[in-house]
Amino acid sequence: MGVADTLTYKPIREKMKTRDSMEDGRYWHAIAMFSDAVYVFGGVGSQALKQCERYDVGAKKWKSVESLPTPMARGHAAVHGSHIYGSEFHRSIVQ
């Protein structure tokens, strides 16, 4: 099983804090930061995942978002403009 824990680190204070956990534990996932949210795509839990989650930095909570069309592991993600791009997926986050 993958890890679902979320930790935040404040370098100026050198403090680590545990936050809300993801719904699906995972490793080898793709991750990107956009507009005060952290997006996690796919990864591996007990098998390759297509589930995606969004962490609202202000609310400090995870929420499931639309899944990938197929499971993905060891992916990469990058933000350009109003889109998140990655290996095996392209997701528009403009509403």
Side-chain angles (χ1 to χ4, degrees):
M1 291 297 276
V3 177
D5 296 340
T6 301
L7 302 171
T8 57
Y9 180 70
K10 289 195 175 188
I12 197 143
R13 294 186 182 158
E14 296 185 3
K15 296 284 182 183
M16 190 75 66
K17 189 168 186 177
T18 302
R19 299 289 183 186
D20 189 40
S21 294
M22 286 186 278
E23 293 178 16
D24 295 301
R26 63 189 77 212
Y27 57 95
W28 288 341
H29 52 276
I31 188 168
M33 178 84 181
F34 182 83
S35 187
D36 292 329
V38 178
Y39 290 83
V40 175
F41 304 95
V44 176
S46 57
Q47 60 187 11
L49 300 172
K50 61 181 184 177
Q51 290 84 352
C52 303
E53 297 185 49
R54 175 185 186 272
Y55 182 75
D56 183 314
V57 174
K60 298 176 179 63
K61 294 284 181 192
W62 285 100
K63 177 182 177 183
S64 291
V65 294
E66 183 180 354
S67 292
L68 299 167
T70 59
M72 181 196 71
R74 295 184 181 189
H76 298 82
V79 174
H80 178 71
S82 59
H83 292 76
I84 299 175
Y85 295 88
S87 60
E88 302 184 36
F89 71 91
H90 164 235
R91 176 177 298 268
S92 171
I93 51 180
V94 175
Q95 299 197 14

